[in-house]
Structures are given as C-alpha cells and as structure tokens.
Amino acid sequence: IVIEEKEEEIEILKMGMDQTLMELNDMKLSQGETDHALDGQIDAVILSNIEKINDMIDSVLQSGVQRVDDALYELDSSMQAGNQNASPSYVLSQIEKASASATEFATSFNNFIADGPNSTHAEIIRTINIFAGSIADVLSNTKGLTRLATDEKKSDQLINAARQSAQSTVKFFRGLQSFRLDGMEPMQKTDVVINNNNDVQMQLQKLNKLAVKTIYACVNNSFFTYRNISCFFNRNTVFF
C-alpha cells in the first residue's frame, strides 16, 4: 500500500510540474525570448520538483532497507525456523530471482540518473519493492535449508552467506540515497550503482555455491531418510 501511495504521489507531482512548466513556457513565448526572469522561474520549478521526487525515492529506499533489516532479524532469531519446506533447488531458484531483481533495480536507477525528471519513477519504486522482497525470501528459505546441513559448520556457512547478501543489499539501498549522491557527476552516480550491484551479485554467488554443496551432501549421504527426500522434493513434490 505504501509503495502504491508513493507511485501516486510522484505521478501527481509530475503532472503538476508539467502543467506549471507549460504555463510558464506559454508566458515566455508571449513576452519574448529575452525574459530571463521566466527562465529562472522555470529552473526553480524543475529543481523544486526534482528535490521532492528525490525525497520520495529516498523514502522508498529506506522502506527497502527496513524490509531487509526485518528479514535479517528473523534470520538471527532463535524463534524463527525459516521455511522448513525449502529444498536446495528451491533456494537456488530464489537466489536466481534475487540476482535478477538486483540487476533490474540497478538498471531502473541508472535510467533515473540518465533521464532525471523524465524518467519512469514508478519503475524504481517497483524494482526496489521486488528486490527487497526477493532478498527477504532468500533469507527465510536459506534458514530453512540449514536443517539439511550435515553439521553445524555448514549450517553457519549458509546463514553467514545469506546475511552477507542481505547486508550488501542494505548497503546498496543506502548508497543511493540522494544526500550520498549529491554533488556527483552522472557517471560517478552510475558507477556507484554498478559497484553496489556487483557486490550483491558476488555475495549471492557465494550463497549459490553453498546451496549447491548442500545438494551434493544430501546425495552422498548413505542413509535414505526424510532429510534426503527433502533434497529432491519440496512440499509439493516438485523435482529439482
């Protein structure tokens, strides 16, 4: 609901800005090309609305941080067991989804940097929400997967890798807040996005490798128990 409200607020703001700019431009045309005062007014309207849009995007970025922080809390809570139906194959699919959503978010934010007021702001809001949600899913399912770990060390490795993926996501969101990008050239801002996305991808790849190892550990286990069955089936008995 909050995401939808922000999308509506930005669309209303853009519509108001477009209408104001049209009116000022009409006044400029009627009064002649030498009216520098109107030029200043047009610039002021654009700047004011960019600041308002940045504030809204900052708010959505912070909501993404909060969602991942909540998932981190559950990851470290002894009261939360995670998804006990998660199979290694399902966790791998969630990691793949998180990786794709991170790149999609990076692309939408770089488009915002390039296009400024003319960019599709709703796309940034949508991709923040999907990215944060997919990382939260990765954490819940990875925690559930630890039940298949052959020892405590391997369980800790899975949890730590999931935590690092989430922490890099939080760093990604926080690194793109407007006050951190203020004063940077567009190319520098783009580099911030690319570098943060690379960090997230690297951490997810580490987690991916550990999930794959969990599959091999199950296969190599000589006892055919419920634990082994979970390696091959999820709750709905879908093969990996």
Side-chain angles (χ1 to χ4, degrees), residues 4-20 49 52-53 56 121-122 125:
E4 292 175 356
E5 288 176 353
K6 291 298 179 185
E7 288 179 358
E8 291 174 1
E9 285 180 36
I10 288 178
E11 287 306 313
I12 292 170
L13 186 61
K14 286 180 69 178
M15 289 173 61
M17 179 180 71
D18 291 343
Q19 181 63 33
T20 302
N49 280 274
K52 290 176 183 176
I53 290 171
M56 290 182 191
H121 305 94
I125 294 172

Side-chain angles (χ1 to χ4, degrees), residues 45 47 51 59 61 91 111 124 169:
V45 168
L47 181 60
E51 289 175 351
S59 177
L61 284 168
V91 173
N111 289 339
I124 295 180
T169 299

Side-chain angles (χ1 to χ4, degrees), residues 82-91 140-148 230-231 233-235:
N83 179 10
Q84 290 294 295
N85 296 308
S87 66
S89 56
Y90 183 67
V91 173
S140 175
N141 286 295
T142 300
K143 187 164 188 179
L145 186 63
T146 59
R147 75 191 188 283
L148 302 177
S230 297
C231 293
F233 301 93
N234 62 21
R235 189 174 185 178

Side-chain angles (χ1 to χ4, degrees), residues 93-147:
S93 72
Q94 294 299 300
I95 294 170
E96 182 179 1
K97 178 183 175 183
S99 175
S101 67
T103 298
E104 188 179 12
F105 164 63
T107 299
S108 69
F109 205 95
N110 276 337
N111 289 339
F112 167 61
I113 291 170
D115 298 336
N118 298 318
S119 64
T120 308
H121 305 94
E123 187 66 9
I124 295 180
I125 294 172
R126 184 186 70 82
T127 54
I128 290 171
N129 190 41
I130 293 173
F131 181 23
S134 66
I135 290 295
D137 288 342
V138 165
L139 267 58
S140 175
N141 286 295
T142 300
K143 187 164 188 179
L145 186 63
T146 59
R147 75 191 188 283

Side-chain angles (χ1 to χ4, degrees), residues 21 24 27 35-46:
L21 289 176
L24 287 171
M27 289 174 63
D35 196 331
H36 298 298
L38 280 175
D39 284 339
Q41 283 183 268
I42 291 172
D43 290 342
V45 168
I46 294 173

